[in-house]
Amino acid sequence: MAVRADRARTGTSAVAAVTDPALVRNVALVGPSGAGKTTLAEALLVHAGAIGRAGSVTEGTTVCDHDPAAVRRHRSVGLALAPLRWDGVTVNLLDTPGYGDFRGGMLAGLRAAEAALFVLPASEGRDGALEPGTVALWEECAGIPRAVVLTRCDDARADVGATLAACRAAFGAGVVALHLPVRDDAGTTTGLRDLRTAGDDAGAALIEQVIEQSEDEELLESYLGGGTVGPDALRGAMRTALLRASFHPVVGVCTTGGTGPGQLLDLLTSVFPAPVDRPPPVPSDPGRGPLRADPDGPLVAEVVHTGADPHVGRICLVRVFSGTLRPDGPVHLGGAVPAPRESPENAPRESTREFDGRIGRVHSPLGALLRETTGCVAGDLCAVPRLEAAVGDVLSDPADPVHLAGWPRPEPLFPVAVEARDRSEEDAVARGLTRLVATDPGLRLQRDPETRQTVLWCAGEAHADVALGRLHDAGVRVDVVDVRVPLRATPARPGRVTGRHVKQSGGHGQFAVCHVEFAPGERGSGLVFGSAVVGGAVPGQYVPSVEKGIRAQLDRGLPVVEGGDPHPVVDVVARLVDGRAHSVDSSDAAFQTAGALAVRAMADECGLVLLEPVDEVAVRVRDEHLGAVLGDLSARRGRVLATEPDGAGHTDVRAEVPRAELLRHAVDLRSLTAGTAVATRRFARWSERP
């Protein structure tokens, strides 16, 4: 979350802190890219009087798209917060990115919210069906209360009826219109019709669906008996049905004329859940009870987004789940810190850090504008500058530290290798990359000791462009180079060689001769060393020296072809069978050197073959894209291990694919599946390279 430096430095008037969690609504704006989420947020802010006039996405003047990368790309690239007040209630609008590369921002918004507005253009369903990516995004929000907002209802291409039918077909019968646009004879939208009081078939269908989804038996009996469902009773039933995440009211909003924002704000404040209505995340500490949205309870807050500003430094967007976060207060900060991807066999991917500190000022952010406040109670969100925390870190009382169960975050699978444009700038590049990764949890930084490359793992090309743009904005100059995949070598066939190290230059000389039989070993066995020396040809104290020399040379590597790069040699069986020693000139160092020379001789005698890393790839794909995904994996020299349909329209595919063929897999998979597939991968084994 960037901060407009001129505003942040000069400061603004203080904002009164929320005191009652029941008067807070945290709502994530979710939907496909280009659906109009940021424009909708502008309309709601204007209608509530939070800003004077609506900004423009194309002009880069909106409250939520304040990040320079969002301004350049004309679309959201991260999570942004825009609070407003309506009817005595604080509504925290969490504008989330819709493009797949920035899915982590959407998941962070859902973590911080109690409900979501699923935003769609009223033209998407005019062809009878929604886009596959839209349906996949809806499924990803399963379990959270959602309403559907149809934007641009006054657009010439809008077809509210067809889009509503497409939503019901894709999302279920719980999708029911609450307000429908009213048009005059010229086709101009003049307002919205509230179906709760319509008294026609559409109104009856709404009431019946509310009663069914709320499972209110008393209201059902009254309705079937001919009784009238009053506004208070209907509102309560809607609230219950929405909390069950089975009822999804639909509201239309027009681009011009201000039609829809008022009705939508009324829905948010009267029907949507407050923080007290939904349970906070579960503590992961054994024996600790559940949390409650209680301002007087123990402090538990979580960082859901981080950003950086050249003048203010790091800024953390924090959701408070319990207690109250106060300025200048002591906090315990703890959480999982992603570990760098240092090698294919990298074991633990996360390490835990814990430390106590003190926060400074607490702000209520309006996009990029920081407004100082006196505190942040359970259920509310705030911004804390200069807090050295990462997304997922938990703030709690130092006397009673709390940890929370984690939430899913996408694994970046698109590698981009970067190097300093000038060797004198390498330290500045390293610092810039570290700062970049600290403020973007969707990135991973790998410094590969074998290829000697620095690799940024991103979600896709758009994510990489944003990351590199932020480096450029910070004055860090890097060049993008081809990603190199680490390779190994292994003996091609058995053979016997001699390692001979004999030198005499006055005084004590150096003398060591070892005869070693080498052979290919089993995959993953490393070095298997043994000795069959008899008669003391190699004294016992020097046998470990030979092994040490062999092991060191294998680790240093050998070139497979003359003049090529050296690669570590693995999966070797080495058997010391004979040798010679000198009573004066033999030593530990001499036999280490002889062992290393034996390995070099082995490369000529036995030959070497290259091994490449093979990853196990897991892809969850919609059934209509299964054939394309399997064909793509086959074209990448992949070997399919299993396909497991779930019977609900998806199939889980597991395959082994050489890593060199996966460098663009994340990008190509999104193209093949319209952004609906989800993939993970992990190192599987080393395999002979064809």
Side-chain angles (χ1 to χ4, degrees), residues 172-196:
V175 176
V176 184
L178 189 61
H179 299 96
L180 289 177
V182 177
R183 300 178 184 269
D184 59 19
D185 294 339
T188 303
T189 301
T190 59
L192 294 177
R193 182 164 63 100
D194 190 339
L195 297 184
R196 289 173 294 188

Side-chain angles (χ1 to χ4, degrees), residues 331-566:
V331 295
H332 175 84
L333 191 147
V337 182
R341 302 167 68 131
E342 294 181 348
S343 70
E345 302 90 347
N346 186 33
R349 295 300 305 277
E350 293 190 340
S351 59
T352 301
R353 62 174 182 180
E354 307 278 334
F355 64 90
D356 293 341
R358 183 176 294 273
I359 65 168
R361 297 179 179 180
V362 175
H363 297 81
S364 172
L366 180 60
L369 179 62
L370 294 184
R371 305 169 300 176
E372 192 169 349
T373 187
T374 57
C376 186
V377 301
D380 204 2
L381 290 108
C382 63
V384 182
R386 301 183 180 89
L387 178 64
E388 295 299 315
V391 170
D393 283 354
V394 177
L395 309 178
S396 56
D397 187 340
D400 186 22
V402 178
H403 303 84
L404 296 178
W407 42 287
R409 276 173 273 175
E411 177 73 12
L413 298 176
F414 179 64
V416 178
V418 296
E419 61 183 28
R421 191 161 295 176
D422 188 281
R423 290 184 62 86
S424 64
E425 299 177 349
E426 289 181 348
D427 289 344
V429 168
R431 291 193 299 270
L433 289 170
T434 300
R435 287 194 298 267
L436 177 67
V437 173
T439 56
D440 187 345
L443 292 171
R444 292 290 181 270
L445 184 63
Q446 174 191 6
R447 296 182 178 89
D448 195 306
E450 293 182 36
T451 64
R452 294 187 288 278
Q453 282 191 313
T454 297
V455 179
L456 271 178
W457 287 85
C458 310
E461 289 178 313
H463 190 203
D465 287 345
V466 167
L468 295 174
R470 286 177 173 155
L471 282 177
H472 181 270
D473 292 344
V476 178
R477 303 189 307 163
V478 297
D479 290 324
V480 176
V481 297
D482 291 339
V483 177
R484 296 194 296 269
V485 174
L487 301 173
R488 300 282 192 270
T490 196
R493 55 188 176 272
R496 174 169 171 160
V497 299
T498 298
R500 179 182 177 85
H501 180 59
V502 178
K503 285 189 176 182
Q504 186 69 46
S505 57
H508 283 300
Q510 299 180 50
F511 187 95
V513 178
C514 60
H515 303 292
V516 184
E517 292 179 349
F518 286 99
E522 295 183 1
R523 291 289 176 263
S525 62
L527 169 65
V528 178
F529 179 83
S531 174
V533 176
V534 295
V538 176
Q541 70 267 29
Y542 295 138
V543 171
S545 303
V546 175
E547 178 184 1
K548 190 174 181 180
I550 290 175
R551 191 177 299 276
Q553 184 62 58
L554 294 177
D555 291 341
R556 285 193 295 269
L558 296 169
V560 176
V561 295
E562 186 175 354
D565 293 331

Side-chain angles (χ1 to χ4, degrees), residues 10-367:
T10 57
T12 61
S13 57
V15 175
V18 175
T19 58
D20 186 357
L23 299 178
V24 175
R25 304 290 184 270
N26 297 310
V27 183
L29 304 181
V30 180
S33 183
K37 299 182 293 296
T38 302
T39 301
L40 174 63
E42 291 289 303
L44 295 175
L45 290 167
V46 169
H47 197 85
I51 58 176
R53 63 185 180 88
S56 165
V57 172
T58 56
E59 295 175 5
T61 56
T62 62
V63 168
C64 294
D65 279 357
H66 52 77
D67 190 303
V71 173
R72 284 194 294 264
R73 303 183 71 87
H74 305 306
R75 67 180 173 204
S76 301
V77 298
L79 182 65
L81 173 64
L84 59 84
R85 295 275 293 177
W86 185 257
D87 197 22
V89 175
T90 295
V91 179
N92 289 318
L93 300 174
L94 291 149
D95 187 20
T96 72
Y99 192 68
D101 276 20
F102 310 105
R103 174 171 160 259
M106 184 271 293
L107 296 174
L110 294 177
R111 175 71 164 191
E114 276 74 47
L117 292 176
F118 198 84
V119 183
L120 287 175
S123 59
E124 180 164 332
R126 62 179 300 168
D127 296 329
L130 301 180
E131 295 292 334
T134 298
V135 179
L137 191 58
W138 175 271
E139 292 171 349
E140 199 159 11
C141 302
I144 188 171
R146 285 159 289 173
V148 178
V149 179
L150 300 183
T151 59
R152 307 171 197 147
C153 288
D154 53 345
D155 189 273
R157 299 182 67 255
D159 190 333
V160 174
T163 301
L164 182 59
C167 288
R168 287 178 62 85
F171 304 156
V175 176
V176 184
L178 189 61
H179 299 96
L180 289 177
V182 177
R183 300 178 184 269
D184 59 19
D185 294 339
T188 303
T189 301
T190 59
L192 294 177
R193 182 164 63 100
D194 190 339
L195 297 184
R196 289 173 294 188
T197 58
D200 56 15
D201 290 344
L206 168 65
I207 294 174
E208 291 169 5
Q209 191 63 234
V210 170
I211 294 174
E212 177 183 345
Q213 298 298 337
S214 66
E215 298 185 358
D216 189 325
E217 298 292 340
E218 184 176 339
L219 191 60
L220 176 62
E221 291 181 8
S222 174
Y223 180 72
L224 293 177
T228 301
V229 180
D232 291 340
L234 184 60
R235 189 180 303 113
M238 285 180 60
R239 188 177 180 84
T240 300
L242 193 68
L243 272 169
R244 292 168 59 88
S246 59
F247 170 68
H248 311 293
V250 181
V251 178
V253 176
C254 299
T255 303
T256 59
T259 304
Q263 291 88 340
L264 184 53
L265 287 171
D266 288 339
L267 179 70
L268 295 178
T269 55
S270 65
V271 175
F272 267 49
V276 295
D277 298 320
R278 283 177 58 81
V282 178
S284 58
D285 308 294
R288 183 178 291 275
L291 301 175
R292 294 188 303 114
D294 179 5
D296 298 322
L299 174 63
V300 181
E302 186 175 33
V303 177
V304 295
H305 179 72
T306 59
D309 178 81
H311 302 286
V312 179
R314 191 178 304 185
I315 303 169
C316 294
L317 182 62
V318 176
R319 164 66 199 265
V320 181
F321 291 110
S322 173
T324 301
L325 187 66
R326 293 186 170 86
D328 301 317
V331 295
H332 175 84
L333 191 147
V337 182
R341 302 167 68 131
E342 294 181 348
S343 70
E345 302 90 347
N346 186 33
R349 295 300 305 277
E350 293 190 340
S351 59
T352 301
R353 62 174 182 180
E354 307 278 334
F355 64 90
D356 293 341
R358 183 176 294 273
I359 65 168
R361 297 179 179 180
V362 175
H363 297 81
S364 172
L366 180 60

Side-chain angles (χ1 to χ4, degrees), residues 586-636:
S586 290
S587 65
D588 170 71
F591 272 98
Q592 285 192 45
T593 302
L597 292 172
V599 173
R600 296 180 190 179
M602 177 268 293
D604 295 329
E605 175 67 23
C606 302
L608 296 175
V609 295
L610 277 178
L611 301 177
E612 62 180 345
V614 175
D615 288 349
E616 182 177 316
V617 179
V619 183
R620 183 167 179 79
V621 60
R622 299 177 70 87
D623 289 346
E624 58 263 36
H625 301 304
L626 178 60
V629 169
L630 292 176
D632 178 69
L633 291 172
S634 176
R636 297 176 190 274

